[in-house]
Amino acid sequence: MSESIQKRKAEHIKWCLTDDVLGEGVTNGFERIRVIHNALPEINFEDISLQTNFLDIPIATPFLISSMTGGAALAGSINEHLARAAEARGWVFALGSTRALIEDEAFRQSFKVRSFAPTIPIVANLGAVQFNYGFTTDMCQTIVDETEATALVLHLNSIQELIQSSGDTNFEQLLPKIEQLVDKLGVPVGVKEVGFGIDAHTAKRLTDVGVSFIDVAGAGGTSWSQVEKLRSNDRLKKQAAEAFKGWGIPTLESLRAVKDAVDVPVFSSGGMRDGIDALKAIGLGASQVGYAKTILKEATESAEAVNEAMAVRELELKMGMFGLGHTTIQQLQQTDRIIVN
Ligand SMILES: Cc1cc2nc3c(=O)[nH]c(=O)nc-3n(C[C@H](O)[C@H](O)[C@H](O)COP(=O)(O)O)c2cc1C
């Protein structure tokens, strides 16, 4: 078991460093958004602040490193680089699936990033489907305790599991199990997809049972049917996966629908490229903006490389806020300078 998790995680990293994993015929939808430039902003650039909250915790920026990895040898160093940079800049850091932490002691260390990131919110991650394969609330509490996480996010990845070899495909009766977890776990529980988006109805069902935040993780960036197609040795699945290259709810569509449907914080992720995508997402009411693939290469290099990539996104967002005439994230969330075509 442990060897296959190790191999799978290493292959995910390898393939996600290429552009072959991008969906085809689907975009994040953000090219449909125009912002109305403000020629007379009447603000001092120096006064612009990215300070905001993650859930109710104050944090220096509205940015999030989306769940990526843990469990493979390389993942340990990737997580250290990400954690150190996130701490330095005030980004939320979401770990990759922490399932391996329970299933094999040897992997525990790769998830223990609190020493590199003592103050920022850390989010642990687990596939919700694992509740149909032996995972319990107690195991989730162990994950939270071991990682010293601020919150836990459950991922919904039905299509990925289906294409993945020996994936877990029984998604029956997960909502009551999510409800049970929400009631018992000592930290807030959120839900995300992995790149195919969440619709309004699903988001509402999740928040009705007490889920604290929704990360839409929409289409337009990494496509997990493409990733698993590339990894698969199963001829039939490989061919069938090809038909899913344009699958998923574009991030823009998912963000708007979910934002309208629920009252909890909604995060925008899935194909987020730069600080201008963040500007647009926050302008549509997103609380946090998450990046996975577009920060992975730097994560394999060093904390300094990640830090620089983060600094560029922050600068882009601040420049965009200057262009609109807003000095705070709260003002940007209420802007009337966003048009969706
Ligand atoms: C290398 C890699 C590993 C990932 N592993 C996980 C994971 O363990 N759990 C999870 O919820 N999402 C995982 N994801 C999905 C991302 O969190 C994100 O939802 C998805 O990649 C879409 O965002 P992007 O277009 O910015 O890459 C992973 C993404 C990448 C690139």
Side-chain angles (χ1 to χ4, degrees):
M1 166 68 81
S2 58
E3 199 187 11
S4 74
I5 289 189
Q6 174 95 333
K7 184 165 170 282
R8 186 163 76 227
K9 296 291 165 189
E11 287 183 8
H12 285 164
I13 295 166
K14 183 188 96 181
W15 283 112
C16 287
L17 285 166
T18 75
D19 281 346
D20 299 342
V21 298
L22 297 175
E24 280 178 38
V26 62
T27 70
N28 67 7
F30 278 49
E31 70 284 353
R32 288 174 49 206
I33 307 175
R34 274 194 307 117
V35 297
I36 305 172
H37 174 67
N38 182 348
L40 186 64
E42 299 274 32
I43 58 172
N44 181 347
F45 182 76
E46 296 303 318
D47 290 337
I48 295 177
S49 163
L50 300 185
Q51 180 76 38
T52 186
N53 290 318
F54 169 75
L55 306 179
D56 286 328
I57 304 163
I59 177 122
T61 79
F63 292 116
L64 164 86
I65 298 170
S66 295
S67 297
M68 279 193 273
T69 201
L74 182 59
S77 63
I78 288 179
N79 278 347
E80 178 180 338
H81 298 155
L82 291 171
R84 284 187 190 281
E87 176 71 24
R89 304 214 67 91
W91 286 40
V92 176
F93 178 33
L95 289 159
S97 172
T98 34
R99 176 180 164 195
L101 182 152
I102 293 290
E103 293 183 348
D104 196 326
E105 287 268 340
F107 295 143
R108 226 159 246 214
Q109 207 51 36
S110 67
F111 297 106
K112 289 199 171 237
V113 294
R114 196 35 111 188
S115 57
F116 311 122
T119 68
I120 53 157
I122 291 176
V123 182
N125 177 294
L126 184 72
V129 74
Q130 294 312 317
F131 294 124
N132 283 347
Y133 292 86
F135 259 72
T136 62
T137 300
D138 284 347
M139 288 176 185
C140 291
Q141 192 61 55
T142 303
I143 285 172
V144 167
D145 295 343
E146 287 286 332
T147 55
E148 298 177 62
T150 318
L152 174 72
V153 69
L154 298 172
H155 65 260
L156 301 174
N157 64 336
S158 53
I159 300 292
Q160 182 195 1
E161 293 286 347
L162 202 53
I163 300 169
Q164 181 175 295
S165 108
S166 321
D168 297 326
T169 53
N170 176 9
F171 274 68
E172 279 178 331
Q173 290 297 313
L174 289 180
L175 194 61
K177 292 170 189 161
I178 293 172
E179 181 169 23
Q180 213 172 46
L181 178 73
V182 165
D183 287 346
K184 301 234 175 74
L185 198 71
V187 296
V189 176
V191 172
K192 73 186 280 287
E193 232 285 340
V194 296
F196 292 141
I198 294 181
D199 66 284
H201 179 61
T202 303
K204 182 81 173 66
R205 288 165 70 215
L206 289 163
T207 55
D208 281 350
V209 301
V211 162
S212 298
F213 61 93
I214 303 283
D215 180 345
V216 299
T222 310
S223 158
W224 284 84
S225 59
Q226 296 284 84
V227 178
E228 299 301 346
K229 177 191 81 181
L230 292 164
R231 290 184 57 235
S232 181
N233 294 318
D234 180 321
R235 282 183 50 217
L236 295 188
K237 280 192 181 176
K238 236 180 163 47
Q239 292 173 70
E242 188 64 19
F244 283 80
K245 63 187 177 203
W247 189 263
I249 310 170
T251 299
L252 169 63
E253 221 175 279
S254 188
L255 172 64
R256 292 175 90 194
V258 173
K259 187 72 197 131
D260 274 353
V262 303
D263 287 329
V264 302
V266 179
F267 305 172
S268 179
S269 74
M272 295 286 102
R273 293 156 301 200
D274 53 27
I276 297 303
D277 276 352
L279 179 87
K280 293 173 174 176
I282 296 166
L284 291 170
S287 305
Q288 253 74 33
V289 178
Y291 304 86
K293 178 176 163 42
T294 57
I295 219 157
L296 179 61
K297 182 174 164 291
E298 288 82 358
T300 62
E301 293 166 5
S302 64
E304 291 69 30
V306 178
N307 192 311
E308 185 172 317
M310 290 171 157
V312 172
R313 284 169 173 83
E314 288 172 29
L315 181 59
E316 288 163 346
L317 175 56
K318 279 190 173 175
M319 289 165 75
M321 288 168 71
F322 193 57
L324 298 190
H326 301 311
T327 51
T328 68
I329 294 297
Q330 290 69 26
Q331 280 173 16
L332 177 57
Q333 281 168 332
Q334 323 255 306
T335 190
D336 56 4
R337 292 186 168 273
I338 299 270
I339 294 177
V340 181
N341 290 312

